[in-house]
Amino acid sequence: MSTDKVAILIKKAALAAERVQSPLLQDKDLTVSQYKIMKYLYAAPADSVRLVDLESYYSMTHPAVIDVIKVLEKKGYCERVVNPEDARSKIVTLTEKAHAERESLMALGDEMEAAVTANLSDAECEQLATLLSKLIGE
């Protein structure tokens, strides 16, 4: 029986998941953080994502989100534009390159999910998702 507390086990699980995901993203030259931002942008309505939305959803600091977005901009996946509803904020938009790679990146997400949960049954995956959602208040 493990003597680790739940918080430590969650951190270990997150690190283990990243170790599994990172090699799968190498061919696309993306990190796990970059991929999760891309996935969020794909799921959101076009031209609607503010930096603060990403910060809130992923519990990331503003500087951390800016760093990831800057790298994605350099790689040609997104760009920041002034929010037409509030000139003080920026909206992150996907580029043509990002749209062209959407299908392959989303398939890669399925592959990463399967790799991370390979040791779990379908029922265990559902139970884990339920418990983690409850833990984070969703």
Side-chain angles (χ1 to χ4, degrees), residues 76-127:
Y77 284 109
C78 69
E79 57 189 14
R80 286 175 283 170
V81 297
V82 175
N83 183 344
E85 296 177 12
D86 180 359
R88 297 171 295 166
S89 72
K90 301 277 184 164
I91 292 177
V92 183
T93 63
L94 292 168
T95 63
E96 291 296 323
K97 176 182 177 178
H99 288 295
E101 295 203 25
R102 179 184 180 135
E103 190 173 313
S104 67
L105 286 175
M106 296 310 282
L108 191 55
D110 293 339
E111 187 178 340
M112 289 188 301
E113 180 77 8
V116 167
T117 60
N119 295 329
L120 301 175
S121 68
D122 289 346
E124 290 170 327
C125 285
E126 279 188 45
Q127 183 180 23

Side-chain angles (χ1 to χ4, degrees), residues 25 28-42 49 51 54 58 60 63-80 92-99 101 105:
L25 290 166
K28 294 292 186 181
D29 189 30
L30 291 171
T31 65
V32 173
S33 293
Q34 293 163 7
Y35 177 81
K36 70 183 184 182
I37 297 289
M38 293 288 296
K39 191 169 179 179
Y40 185 96
L41 293 170
Y42 284 137
V49 177
L51 293 172
L54 294 167
Y58 288 114
M60 294 172 70
V65 170
I66 292 293
D67 288 347
V68 173
I69 295 298
K70 282 181 180 178
V71 174
L72 287 172
E73 285 176 322
K74 286 180 185 172
K75 292 179 180 183
Y77 284 109
C78 69
E79 57 189 14
R80 286 175 283 170
V92 183
T93 63
L94 292 168
T95 63
E96 291 296 323
K97 176 182 177 178
H99 288 295
E101 295 203 25
L105 286 175

